[in-house]
Amino acid sequence: MPTENISISTASGHALSGSLEMPTGLVRGAALFAHCFTCTKQSRAAIEVARALAGEGIACLRFDFTGLGGSEGEFGRAGFATDVGDLVDAASYLFERFAQPILLVGHSLGGAAVLAAADDLGFDKVAAIATIGAPSDVPHVLHNIKGDLDAIRDQGQGEVTIGGREFCLGREFIERVESADLLAEVGRLRRPLLFLHSPTDDIVGIEHASALFAAAKHPKSFVSLEGADHLLLKDADARFVASVIASWAHRYLPMREDWPMPDEGVVVKSGHGKFGTEVHTVSHRFIADEPKSYGGDDTGPTPYDLLNAALGTCTAMTMKMYADRKGWPLEGVTVEVRHERNHKEECHHVAAMEQGTQLQALHRTINLQGDGLDEEQRAKIIEIADKCPVHRTLEGELHIHTEAAG
């Protein structure tokens, strides 16, 4: 997906480092992802969820909390309240840019943070909230800190180890974590909520999901992540979570009414990235792109893929329709189409062309499935392939008229 590097200014004066995953085509909405305790925006869950949402037309910002990854500030003196403040600043950036309510997504402590941030941000700016493995009590994260917390309370700061990494924590960090009352915050929410949690999570137990779900008001949903670990280290688990959230979010980030849906033909609009493009028909929409070798993001078929597909699909449909009409036992059709830019034909073909015109070709290979077909039927069905409407259009005299819109 096209990715923008974002710097977000905070109320405390330092900058947060963010990556905004943009849809290849048009933007239907925006989302904000909050990573887990001491992780960064580069965590597997952050990347998978952000890109899945972008694939559904939802721009997703993943960022580093204060003092982590590429963000400025001191992590050891920040605490939960600072995480919430970071989220409010990041969400405000998205709201200003896209001018519509956003989706909040949080993993582990990031999940607790998005639940707490919704009230500070304002419910009118929040479309829905999804959490992954979130704790129901914020002080729970202190159990994952190896160090003398009592000494830090007495002396003001001290060295600790979190997830194998060394940090210097201040008294303020511990006090801010201990003062959070998350269940009360959840009880006040009036936004759609989705809780995803693994029943075998050995860092944040499943009882936390039960407590959050019980405290929440409807509409609320729960998805069990059977077999997943807390950090979603398995690709399949991260992708499953991403797909569930992306699908669920559709209900709360509906398609914009001002998107072009033509009465006939297609409408093509440029999207994001170097070549990202969105195609709208009367009743469908899809994206097109170029491969990475051409400078694209490879998020959709290329224009020539679509040209090949037009011939291939029309060929298959025409042959199927003909066989059905005849009552012949055609079980299926496989059509392979390949485009050749420089096609060297016999000399009299080349001579008949205007000077400088490039001769191109589409190569079509057809496989008919159906053991009950005899040789004569097979030959007739193959012959019908050349009579498909797209084939006739491509080989006929085709004029393209272009005009500038008023």
Short mmCIF file of all heavy atoms in Angstrom, two decimals, residues 145-205:
data_model
loop_
_atom_site.label_atom_id
_atom_site.label_comp_id
_atom_site.label_asym_id
_atom_site.label_seq_id
_atom_site.Cartn_x
_atom_site.Cartn_y
_atom_site.Cartn_z
N ILE A 145 6.78 -5.53 34.30
CA ILE A 145 8.00 -4.73 34.50
C ILE A 145 8.88 -5.41 35.54
O ILE A 145 8.44 -5.68 36.66
CB ILE A 145 7.65 -3.30 34.96
CG1 ILE A 145 6.82 -2.60 33.88
CG2 ILE A 145 8.92 -2.52 35.25
CD1 ILE A 145 6.35 -1.22 34.29
N LYS A 146 10.12 -5.71 35.18
CA LYS A 146 11.07 -6.31 36.10
C LYS A 146 11.94 -5.21 36.70
O LYS A 146 12.74 -4.59 36.00
CB LYS A 146 11.93 -7.35 35.38
CG LYS A 146 11.13 -8.55 34.87
CD LYS A 146 12.03 -9.56 34.19
CE LYS A 146 11.22 -10.77 33.70
NZ LYS A 146 12.08 -11.77 33.03
N GLY A 147 11.75 -4.98 37.97
CA GLY A 147 12.50 -3.93 38.65
C GLY A 147 11.87 -3.63 39.99
O GLY A 147 10.80 -4.13 40.32
N ASP A 148 12.52 -2.79 40.78
CA ASP A 148 12.04 -2.44 42.12
C ASP A 148 11.16 -1.20 42.01
O ASP A 148 11.65 -0.06 42.08
CB ASP A 148 13.22 -2.19 43.05
CG ASP A 148 12.80 -2.10 44.51
OD1 ASP A 148 11.60 -1.86 44.77
OD2 ASP A 148 13.66 -2.26 45.39
N LEU A 149 9.84 -1.41 41.83
CA LEU A 149 8.93 -0.29 41.67
C LEU A 149 8.77 0.52 42.94
O LEU A 149 8.58 1.74 42.89
CB LEU A 149 7.56 -0.80 41.19
CG LEU A 149 7.55 -1.56 39.86
CD1 LEU A 149 6.11 -1.86 39.43
CD2 LEU A 149 8.27 -0.79 38.76
N ASP A 150 8.86 -0.15 44.09
CA ASP A 150 8.77 0.57 45.36
C ASP A 150 9.93 1.55 45.51
O ASP A 150 9.76 2.67 46.00
CB ASP A 150 8.75 -0.41 46.53
CG ASP A 150 7.44 -1.18 46.61
OD1 ASP A 150 6.41 -0.64 46.14
OD2 ASP A 150 7.43 -2.30 47.15
N ALA A 151 11.12 1.10 45.07
CA ALA A 151 12.29 1.99 45.14
C ALA A 151 12.12 3.19 44.22
O ALA A 151 12.51 4.31 44.55
CB ALA A 151 13.55 1.20 44.78
N ILE A 152 11.49 2.96 43.07
CA ILE A 152 11.25 4.07 42.14
C ILE A 152 10.27 5.06 42.75
O ILE A 152 10.43 6.28 42.61
CB ILE A 152 10.73 3.53 40.80
CG1 ILE A 152 11.81 2.69 40.10
CG2 ILE A 152 10.27 4.66 39.89
CD1 ILE A 152 11.35 2.02 38.83
N ARG A 153 9.25 4.54 43.45
CA ARG A 153 8.30 5.43 44.12
C ARG A 153 9.00 6.28 45.18
O ARG A 153 8.70 7.47 45.33
CB ARG A 153 7.19 4.61 44.78
CG ARG A 153 6.23 3.92 43.80
CD ARG A 153 5.07 3.26 44.54
NE ARG A 153 4.17 2.55 43.65
CZ ARG A 153 4.27 1.25 43.37
NH1 ARG A 153 5.23 0.53 43.94
NH2 ARG A 153 3.41 0.69 42.54
N ASP A 154 9.95 5.68 45.88
CA ASP A 154 10.65 6.41 46.95
C ASP A 154 11.70 7.36 46.41
O ASP A 154 11.82 8.51 46.86
CB ASP A 154 11.32 5.41 47.91
CG ASP A 154 10.31 4.60 48.70
OD1 ASP A 154 9.15 5.06 48.83
OD2 ASP A 154 10.66 3.50 49.16
N GLN A 155 12.46 6.91 45.39
CA GLN A 155 13.61 7.67 44.93
C GLN A 155 13.31 8.57 43.71
O GLN A 155 14.12 9.42 43.35
CB GLN A 155 14.75 6.71 44.59
CG GLN A 155 15.20 5.86 45.79
CD GLN A 155 16.17 4.76 45.39
OE1 GLN A 155 16.73 4.78 44.29
NE2 GLN A 155 16.37 3.79 46.29
N GLY A 156 12.17 8.33 43.06
CA GLY A 156 11.80 9.18 41.93
C GLY A 156 12.05 8.57 40.58
O GLY A 156 11.36 8.90 39.61
N GLN A 157 13.03 7.66 40.47
CA GLN A 157 13.29 6.98 39.21
C GLN A 157 14.19 5.77 39.45
O GLN A 157 14.79 5.62 40.52
CB GLN A 157 13.94 7.90 38.18
CG GLN A 157 15.35 8.37 38.55
CD GLN A 157 15.93 9.27 37.47
OE1 GLN A 157 15.21 9.96 36.76
NE2 GLN A 157 17.25 9.25 37.33
N GLY A 158 14.28 4.91 38.43
CA GLY A 158 15.11 3.72 38.55
C GLY A 158 15.11 2.91 37.26
O GLY A 158 14.29 3.12 36.37
N GLU A 159 16.07 1.99 37.18
CA GLU A 159 16.22 1.15 35.99
C GLU A 159 15.31 -0.07 36.10
O GLU A 159 15.21 -0.71 37.16
CB GLU A 159 17.66 0.70 35.83
CG GLU A 159 18.66 1.83 35.66
CD GLU A 159 18.45 2.61 34.38
OE1 GLU A 159 18.05 1.97 33.37
OE2 GLU A 159 18.68 3.83 34.37
N VAL A 160 14.66 -0.42 34.98
CA VAL A 160 13.80 -1.61 34.92
C VAL A 160 14.03 -2.30 33.58
O VAL A 160 14.66 -1.76 32.67
CB VAL A 160 12.30 -1.24 35.06
CG1 VAL A 160 12.02 -0.57 36.39
CG2 VAL A 160 11.85 -0.35 33.90
N THR A 161 13.47 -3.51 33.47
CA THR A 161 13.52 -4.26 32.22
C THR A 161 12.09 -4.61 31.82
O THR A 161 11.32 -5.13 32.63
CB THR A 161 14.34 -5.56 32.37
OG1 THR A 161 15.67 -5.23 32.76
CG2 THR A 161 14.37 -6.32 31.04
N ILE A 162 11.73 -4.30 30.57
CA ILE A 162 10.40 -4.61 30.04
C ILE A 162 10.58 -5.34 28.73
O ILE A 162 11.14 -4.79 27.77
CB ILE A 162 9.56 -3.34 29.81
CG1 ILE A 162 9.54 -2.45 31.05
CG2 ILE A 162 8.14 -3.70 29.39
CD1 ILE A 162 8.89 -1.09 30.84
N GLY A 163 10.11 -6.59 28.67
CA GLY A 163 10.22 -7.37 27.44
C GLY A 163 11.65 -7.53 26.98
O GLY A 163 11.92 -7.56 25.77
N GLY A 164 12.58 -7.63 27.94
CA GLY A 164 13.98 -7.82 27.60
C GLY A 164 14.72 -6.55 27.27
O GLY A 164 15.92 -6.58 26.98
N ARG A 165 14.05 -5.40 27.34
CA ARG A 165 14.69 -4.11 27.04
C ARG A 165 14.79 -3.28 28.30
O ARG A 165 13.92 -3.33 29.18
CB ARG A 165 13.87 -3.34 25.99
CG ARG A 165 13.77 -4.05 24.66
CD ARG A 165 12.70 -3.45 23.79
NE ARG A 165 12.94 -2.04 23.52
CZ ARG A 165 12.03 -1.21 22.99
NH1 ARG A 165 10.82 -1.67 22.70
NH2 ARG A 165 12.33 0.05 22.77
N GLU A 166 15.86 -2.51 28.43
CA GLU A 166 16.09 -1.70 29.62
C GLU A 166 15.52 -0.30 29.44
O GLU A 166 15.65 0.31 28.38
CB GLU A 166 17.59 -1.62 29.93
CG GLU A 166 18.20 -2.95 30.32
CD GLU A 166 19.66 -2.82 30.71
OE1 GLU A 166 20.23 -1.70 30.55
OE2 GLU A 166 20.25 -3.82 31.16
N PHE A 167 14.86 0.18 30.48
CA PHE A 167 14.29 1.53 30.50
C PHE A 167 14.56 2.17 31.85
O PHE A 167 14.75 1.48 32.86
CB PHE A 167 12.76 1.49 30.29
CG PHE A 167 12.32 1.01 28.93
CD1 PHE A 167 12.04 -0.33 28.72
CD2 PHE A 167 12.19 1.89 27.87
CE1 PHE A 167 11.62 -0.80 27.48
CE2 PHE A 167 11.77 1.44 26.63
CZ PHE A 167 11.49 0.10 26.43
N CYS A 168 14.55 3.47 31.85
CA CYS A 168 14.61 4.23 33.10
C CYS A 168 13.21 4.78 33.35
O CYS A 168 12.73 5.61 32.58
CB CYS A 168 15.63 5.36 33.00
SG CYS A 168 15.72 6.36 34.54
N LEU A 169 12.55 4.29 34.41
CA LEU A 169 11.20 4.73 34.73
C LEU A 169 11.20 5.77 35.84
O LEU A 169 12.00 5.68 36.79
CB LEU A 169 10.32 3.55 35.16
CG LEU A 169 9.86 2.54 34.12
CD1 LEU A 169 8.78 1.65 34.72
CD2 LEU A 169 9.35 3.22 32.87
N GLY A 170 10.27 6.71 35.73
CA GLY A 170 10.10 7.70 36.78
C GLY A 170 8.87 7.41 37.62
O GLY A 170 7.99 6.63 37.23
N ARG A 171 8.80 8.03 38.80
CA ARG A 171 7.65 7.85 39.70
C ARG A 171 6.35 8.25 38.99
O ARG A 171 5.31 7.62 39.18
CB ARG A 171 7.84 8.71 40.95
CG ARG A 171 6.70 8.57 41.95
CD ARG A 171 6.79 9.61 43.06
NE ARG A 171 8.02 9.47 43.83
CZ ARG A 171 8.97 10.40 43.90
NH1 ARG A 171 8.81 11.56 43.25
NH2 ARG A 171 10.04 10.21 44.64
N GLU A 172 6.41 9.28 38.17
CA GLU A 172 5.21 9.78 37.50
C GLU A 172 4.62 8.72 36.58
O GLU A 172 3.39 8.60 36.47
CB GLU A 172 5.55 11.03 36.69
CG GLU A 172 4.34 11.70 36.06
CD GLU A 172 4.72 12.95 35.30
OE1 GLU A 172 5.94 13.21 35.12
OE2 GLU A 172 3.81 13.68 34.87
N PHE A 173 5.47 7.92 35.92
CA PHE A 173 4.99 6.85 35.04
C PHE A 173 4.12 5.88 35.83
O PHE A 173 3.01 5.53 35.42
CB PHE A 173 6.19 6.11 34.43
CG PHE A 173 5.83 5.00 33.50
CD1 PHE A 173 5.86 5.18 32.13
CD2 PHE A 173 5.45 3.75 33.98
CE1 PHE A 173 5.53 4.17 31.26
CE2 PHE A 173 5.12 2.72 33.12
CZ PHE A 173 5.16 2.93 31.76
N ILE A 174 4.61 5.42 36.98
CA ILE A 174 3.87 4.45 37.78
C ILE A 174 2.58 5.05 38.31
O ILE A 174 1.51 4.42 38.27
CB ILE A 174 4.75 3.97 38.95
CG1 ILE A 174 6.00 3.27 38.41
CG2 ILE A 174 3.97 3.02 39.87
CD1 ILE A 174 7.01 2.90 39.46
N GLU A 175 2.64 6.29 38.78
CA GLU A 175 1.45 6.94 39.34
C GLU A 175 0.36 7.12 38.28
O GLU A 175 -0.83 6.93 38.55
CB GLU A 175 1.81 8.29 39.96
CG GLU A 175 2.67 8.15 41.22
CD GLU A 175 3.14 9.49 41.75
OE1 GLU A 175 3.03 10.49 40.99
OE2 GLU A 175 3.62 9.56 42.90
N ARG A 176 0.76 7.46 37.06
CA ARG A 176 -0.22 7.66 35.99
C ARG A 176 -0.86 6.34 35.58
O ARG A 176 -2.05 6.30 35.25
CB ARG A 176 0.45 8.32 34.78
CG ARG A 176 0.79 9.79 34.99
CD ARG A 176 1.41 10.38 33.74
NE ARG A 176 1.58 11.82 33.85
CZ ARG A 176 2.04 12.59 32.87
NH1 ARG A 176 2.37 12.04 31.71
NH2 ARG A 176 2.16 13.88 33.04
N VAL A 177 -0.08 5.27 35.60
CA VAL A 177 -0.64 3.97 35.27
C VAL A 177 -1.63 3.53 36.35
O VAL A 177 -2.73 3.04 36.07
CB VAL A 177 0.48 2.92 35.10
CG1 VAL A 177 -0.09 1.51 35.05
CG2 VAL A 177 1.29 3.20 33.83
N GLU A 178 -1.26 3.71 37.60
CA GLU A 178 -2.08 3.23 38.71
C GLU A 178 -3.37 4.03 38.87
O GLU A 178 -4.35 3.53 39.44
CB GLU A 178 -1.28 3.28 40.02
CG GLU A 178 -0.15 2.26 40.07
CD GLU A 178 0.67 2.35 41.33
OE1 GLU A 178 0.82 3.47 41.86
OE2 GLU A 178 1.18 1.31 41.78
N SER A 179 -3.41 5.23 38.38
CA SER A 179 -4.59 6.08 38.58
C SER A 179 -5.68 5.86 37.54
O SER A 179 -6.78 6.41 37.66
CB SER A 179 -4.18 7.56 38.57
OG SER A 179 -3.68 7.93 37.29
N ALA A 180 -5.42 5.07 36.52
CA ALA A 180 -6.39 4.87 35.44
C ALA A 180 -7.51 3.94 35.88
O ALA A 180 -7.26 2.89 36.48
CB ALA A 180 -5.70 4.31 34.20
N ASP A 181 -8.76 4.31 35.59
CA ASP A 181 -9.94 3.48 35.88
C ASP A 181 -10.62 3.18 34.54
O ASP A 181 -11.56 3.86 34.14
CB ASP A 181 -10.88 4.21 36.83
CG ASP A 181 -12.06 3.34 37.26
OD1 ASP A 181 -12.16 2.20 36.78
OD2 ASP A 181 -12.87 3.81 38.08
N LEU A 182 -10.15 2.13 33.87
CA LEU A 182 -10.57 1.87 32.50
C LEU A 182 -12.02 1.40 32.41
O LEU A 182 -12.75 1.81 31.50
CB LEU A 182 -9.65 0.84 31.86
CG LEU A 182 -9.87 0.58 30.38
CD1 LEU A 182 -9.67 1.86 29.57
CD2 LEU A 182 -8.93 -0.51 29.87
N LEU A 183 -12.46 0.54 33.32
CA LEU A 183 -13.83 0.02 33.23
C LEU A 183 -14.87 1.13 33.34
O LEU A 183 -15.91 1.08 32.69
CB LEU A 183 -14.05 -1.05 34.30
CG LEU A 183 -13.27 -2.35 34.10
CD1 LEU A 183 -13.56 -3.33 35.22
CD2 LEU A 183 -13.60 -2.98 32.75
N ALA A 184 -14.58 2.12 34.16
CA ALA A 184 -15.49 3.27 34.25
C ALA A 184 -15.53 4.02 32.92
O ALA A 184 -16.60 4.48 32.48
CB ALA A 184 -15.06 4.20 35.38
N GLU A 185 -14.37 4.13 32.27
CA GLU A 185 -14.31 4.79 30.96
C GLU A 185 -15.15 4.02 29.94
O GLU A 185 -15.93 4.60 29.17
CB GLU A 185 -12.86 4.88 30.48
CG GLU A 185 -11.94 5.73 31.33
CD GLU A 185 -11.92 7.18 30.88
OE1 GLU A 185 -12.75 7.54 30.01
OE2 GLU A 185 -11.09 7.94 31.39
N VAL A 186 -15.00 2.70 29.94
CA VAL A 186 -15.72 1.88 28.99
C VAL A 186 -17.23 1.98 29.19
O VAL A 186 -18.00 2.02 28.24
CB VAL A 186 -15.26 0.40 29.09
CG1 VAL A 186 -16.13 -0.51 28.24
CG2 VAL A 186 -13.81 0.28 28.65
N GLY A 187 -17.64 2.04 30.45
CA GLY A 187 -19.07 2.14 30.75
C GLY A 187 -19.71 3.41 30.22
O GLY A 187 -20.93 3.45 30.01
N ARG A 188 -18.90 4.44 30.01
CA ARG A 188 -19.43 5.72 29.51
C ARG A 188 -19.46 5.79 27.99
O ARG A 188 -20.06 6.70 27.42
CB ARG A 188 -18.60 6.88 30.05
CG ARG A 188 -18.76 7.13 31.54
CD ARG A 188 -18.17 8.48 31.92
NE ARG A 188 -16.73 8.50 31.76
CZ ARG A 188 -15.87 8.17 32.74
NH1 ARG A 188 -16.34 7.75 33.92
NH2 ARG A 188 -14.57 8.23 32.55
N LEU A 189 -18.80 4.83 27.32
CA LEU A 189 -18.73 4.89 25.86
C LEU A 189 -20.08 4.59 25.23
O LEU A 189 -20.81 3.72 25.67
CB LEU A 189 -17.70 3.88 25.33
CG LEU A 189 -16.23 4.13 25.71
CD1 LEU A 189 -15.35 3.02 25.16
CD2 LEU A 189 -15.76 5.47 25.16
N ARG A 190 -20.38 5.32 24.21
CA ARG A 190 -21.60 5.07 23.43
C ARG A 190 -21.24 4.90 21.96
O ARG A 190 -21.86 5.46 21.08
CB ARG A 190 -22.59 6.24 23.61
CG ARG A 190 -23.17 6.34 24.99
CD ARG A 190 -24.06 5.14 25.33
NE ARG A 190 -24.76 5.30 26.60
CZ ARG A 190 -24.26 4.97 27.79
NH1 ARG A 190 -23.03 4.46 27.84
NH2 ARG A 190 -24.96 5.13 28.88
N ARG A 191 -20.17 4.14 21.75
CA ARG A 191 -19.69 3.87 20.40
C ARG A 191 -19.67 2.36 20.16
O ARG A 191 -19.54 1.58 21.10
CB ARG A 191 -18.25 4.41 20.22
CG ARG A 191 -18.09 5.92 20.32
CD ARG A 191 -18.62 6.64 19.10
NE ARG A 191 -20.06 6.90 19.18
CZ ARG A 191 -20.81 7.28 18.18
NH1 ARG A 191 -20.30 7.43 16.98
NH2 ARG A 191 -22.09 7.50 18.34
N PRO A 192 -19.79 1.92 18.90
CA PRO A 192 -19.68 0.48 18.61
C PRO A 192 -18.32 -0.05 19.05
O PRO A 192 -17.28 0.58 18.78
CB PRO A 192 -19.84 0.42 17.09
CG PRO A 192 -20.58 1.67 16.73
CD PRO A 192 -20.11 2.71 17.69
N LEU A 193 -18.31 -1.20 19.72
CA LEU A 193 -17.08 -1.76 20.27
C LEU A 193 -16.88 -3.18 19.78
O LEU A 193 -17.82 -3.98 19.72
CB LEU A 193 -17.14 -1.76 21.80
CG LEU A 193 -17.14 -0.40 22.49
CD1 LEU A 193 -17.54 -0.54 23.95
CD2 LEU A 193 -15.77 0.24 22.39
N LEU A 194 -15.62 -3.52 19.44
CA LEU A 194 -15.24 -4.87 19.07
C LEU A 194 -14.05 -5.28 19.92
O LEU A 194 -13.01 -4.61 19.92
CB LEU A 194 -14.86 -4.93 17.59
CG LEU A 194 -14.25 -6.25 17.10
CD1 LEU A 194 -15.26 -7.39 17.22
CD2 LEU A 194 -13.77 -6.12 15.65
N PHE A 195 -14.19 -6.37 20.69
CA PHE A 195 -13.11 -6.89 21.52
C PHE A 195 -12.62 -8.20 20.92
O PHE A 195 -13.39 -9.14 20.74
CB PHE A 195 -13.59 -7.13 22.95
CG PHE A 195 -14.15 -5.92 23.63
CD1 PHE A 195 -15.52 -5.77 23.77
CD2 PHE A 195 -13.32 -4.93 24.12
CE1 PHE A 195 -16.05 -4.65 24.39
CE2 PHE A 195 -13.84 -3.80 24.74
CZ PHE A 195 -15.21 -3.65 24.87
N LEU A 196 -11.32 -8.26 20.59
CA LEU A 196 -10.70 -9.49 20.10
C LEU A 196 -9.68 -9.94 21.13
O LEU A 196 -8.85 -9.13 21.59
CB LEU A 196 -10.01 -9.27 18.75
CG LEU A 196 -10.90 -8.77 17.60
CD1 LEU A 196 -10.73 -7.26 17.43
CD2 LEU A 196 -10.57 -9.49 16.30
N HIS A 197 -9.73 -11.23 21.53
CA HIS A 197 -8.84 -11.69 22.59
C HIS A 197 -8.63 -13.20 22.44
O HIS A 197 -9.55 -13.93 22.08
CB HIS A 197 -9.46 -11.40 23.95
CG HIS A 197 -8.46 -11.13 25.02
ND1 HIS A 197 -8.31 -9.90 25.63
CD2 HIS A 197 -7.53 -11.94 25.61
CE1 HIS A 197 -7.36 -9.96 26.54
NE2 HIS A 197 -6.87 -11.19 26.55
N SER A 198 -7.42 -13.64 22.75
CA SER A 198 -7.12 -15.06 22.70
C SER A 198 -7.41 -15.70 24.05
O SER A 198 -6.97 -15.19 25.09
CB SER A 198 -5.64 -15.28 22.35
OG SER A 198 -5.29 -16.65 22.52
N PRO A 199 -8.12 -16.83 24.06
CA PRO A 199 -8.39 -17.52 25.33
C PRO A 199 -7.13 -18.12 25.95
O PRO A 199 -7.15 -18.51 27.12
CB PRO A 199 -9.40 -18.61 24.93
CG PRO A 199 -9.18 -18.83 23.47
CD PRO A 199 -8.78 -17.50 22.91
N THR A 200 -6.05 -18.20 25.16
CA THR A 200 -4.79 -18.75 25.68
C THR A 200 -3.73 -17.66 25.85
O THR A 200 -2.53 -17.97 25.93
CB THR A 200 -4.28 -19.85 24.75
OG1 THR A 200 -4.17 -19.33 23.41
CG2 THR A 200 -5.23 -21.04 24.74
N ASP A 201 -4.16 -16.41 25.89
CA ASP A 201 -3.23 -15.29 26.08
C ASP A 201 -2.61 -15.40 27.48
O ASP A 201 -3.31 -15.32 28.49
CB ASP A 201 -3.99 -13.97 25.94
CG ASP A 201 -3.06 -12.76 25.86
OD1 ASP A 201 -1.99 -12.79 26.49
OD2 ASP A 201 -3.42 -11.79 25.17
N ASP A 202 -1.28 -15.61 27.56
CA ASP A 202 -0.63 -15.78 28.85
C ASP A 202 -0.04 -14.49 29.39
O ASP A 202 0.63 -14.50 30.44
CB ASP A 202 0.45 -16.87 28.77
CG ASP A 202 1.53 -16.56 27.73
OD1 ASP A 202 1.44 -15.49 27.07
OD2 ASP A 202 2.46 -17.37 27.57
N ILE A 203 -0.28 -13.38 28.71
CA ILE A 203 0.18 -12.08 29.20
C ILE A 203 -0.99 -11.26 29.72
O ILE A 203 -0.93 -10.70 30.83
CB ILE A 203 0.93 -11.32 28.09
CG1 ILE A 203 2.21 -12.09 27.71
CG2 ILE A 203 1.27 -9.90 28.55
CD1 ILE A 203 3.01 -11.44 26.61
N VAL A 204 -2.05 -11.18 28.95
CA VAL A 204 -3.30 -10.54 29.38
C VAL A 204 -4.40 -11.60 29.27
O VAL A 204 -4.83 -11.93 28.17
CB VAL A 204 -3.64 -9.31 28.51
CG1 VAL A 204 -4.95 -8.67 28.98
CG2 VAL A 204 -2.51 -8.28 28.56
N GLY A 205 -4.81 -12.15 30.39
CA GLY A 205 -5.75 -13.27 30.40
C GLY A 205 -7.11 -12.93 29.80
O GLY A 205 -7.51 -11.76 29.73
#
